[in-house]
Amino acid sequence: MSSAKDWAALLIKTNFKQQQLIGSYYKDVLRFMLSKFDSLVTLNSEDEITKVRSINATAERTVAKLYQENNIVLPLISISQDISTDDPDRIRPNFSVIPKKYWDSKRKRALRVVSYPPRAININYGINIWTKYKEDLDQVAEQVRLLFAPGLRIVTSKNNSTLAFIDREDDNSSLLVGDREDRILRKSFLISIEGYLEYPEYLITSTGQVKEFNIDLLSE
């Protein structure tokens, strides 16, 4: 058994698609986004650097927290996942399989591993910058634009080929004023990520059986 057609038939026969598919792609992408934007800073007139904190929150929730809590320090970046949809231009037939080979250094032999093609999706993220001063807003916005030149490469434990792009930039220049009459400036970016949801990989044994495969096991 060596053809992709035979492997696909075997996966279907073993009820591959009925298995529990629990992935961490969304969590991994969000974690990367938070760490990437958490590296931004602002510089004041005295050359003092202020680190910009990043949090996972919608714009509405951030506004509520800004006026309900007194310990939130600006500038601040809030990141939220909006929607995700299938990408018909990048999607591949789900009846085909992708064969791979891994070298098992412990057993000194190559392993045949197969999986269904990853599911192509587009994920939209809302990036909001919150500051008290226009100068800080411009500094952070400039750093955000420079991260996407033209795309930001998303690096996760699964791959490093996912790209993110700025779809739209909105200047929310109107002042947000709460009970404390603190002015807050806001600028928004809509980010589109062209990602892939990975199916589990399965090992094809010499007897034609299918076993769940985890590449981390090769290093043990």
Side-chain angles (χ1 to χ4, degrees):
M1 179 178 294
S2 59
S3 70
K5 182 178 180 181
D6 291 337
W7 287 331
L10 183 58
L11 290 182
I12 294 175
K13 183 179 179 180
T14 55
N15 295 323
F16 173 84
K17 283 194 170 182
Q18 296 179 13
Q19 306 215 14
Q20 187 84 16
L21 304 179
I22 302 177
S24 59
Y25 181 76
Y26 288 97
K27 183 185 296 184
D28 289 344
V29 171
L30 177 59
R31 185 182 295 115
F32 175 85
M33 297 280 283
L34 288 170
S35 65
K36 200 68 176 179
F37 287 99
D38 214 31
S39 64
L40 306 186
V41 299
T42 59
L43 188 67
N44 63 19
S45 58
E46 298 179 356
D47 291 336
E48 295 174 337
I49 294 177
T50 300
K51 186 176 180 180
V52 181
R53 182 187 171 204
S54 297
I55 63 172
N56 175 214
T58 63
E60 294 76 14
R61 183 182 176 189
T62 305
V63 170
K65 289 175 70 68
L66 286 172
Y67 293 121
Q68 291 173 1
E69 302 179 18
N70 296 323
N71 59 348
I72 296 181
V73 179
L74 299 181
L76 178 73
I77 294 179
S78 63
I79 302 174
S80 63
Q81 178 194 324
D82 294 337
I83 61 172
S84 61
T85 57
D86 288 335
D87 189 331
D89 295 329
R90 294 184 295 122
I91 201 166
R92 297 176 61 178
N94 61 3
F95 54 78
S96 62
V97 296
I98 298 178
K100 297 180 182 179
K101 285 186 178 180
Y102 290 100
W103 178 254
D104 188 340
S105 57
K106 185 177 181 180
R107 298 176 179 84
K108 305 298 181 183
R109 62 186 178 90
L111 303 178
R112 292 182 301 175
V113 176
V114 296
S115 69
Y116 280 114
R119 190 180 189 92
I121 59 170
N122 292 324
I123 311 174
N124 287 341
Y125 277 86
I127 310 295
N128 288 281
I129 305 170
W130 311 84
T131 69
K132 289 184 177 180
Y133 308 107
K134 182 66 164 58
E135 182 180 359
D136 289 344
L137 187 69
D138 291 340
Q139 287 186 31
V140 178
E142 180 179 349
Q143 292 172 76
V144 170
R145 297 188 195 101
L146 290 176
L147 288 177
F148 298 83
L152 172 64
R153 188 172 300 277
I154 307 295
V155 179
T156 67
S157 59
K158 292 292 185 180
N159 64 68
N160 60 358
S161 60
T162 300
L163 293 177
F165 302 92
I166 296 178
D167 271 359
R168 190 178 72 242
E169 176 181 344
D170 294 325
D171 185 5
N172 306 101
S173 55
S174 59
L175 301 183
L176 304 175
V177 180
D179 295 336
R180 293 177 295 150
E181 296 185 354
D182 290 336
R183 72 170 190 172
I184 299 176
L185 301 175
R186 171 188 167 198
K187 183 180 286 289
S188 304
F189 291 88
L190 177 63
I191 307 300
S192 176
I193 297 179
E194 298 179 356
Y196 292 92
L197 295 181
E198 300 280 349
Y199 280 97
E201 294 181 326
Y202 277 73
L203 172 68
I204 306 296
T205 67
S206 57
T207 60
Q209 293 180 324
V210 177
K211 294 183 178 180
E212 189 172 358
F213 177 76
N214 188 340
I215 192 173
D216 294 333
L217 297 178
L218 295 182
S219 59
E220 295 182 352

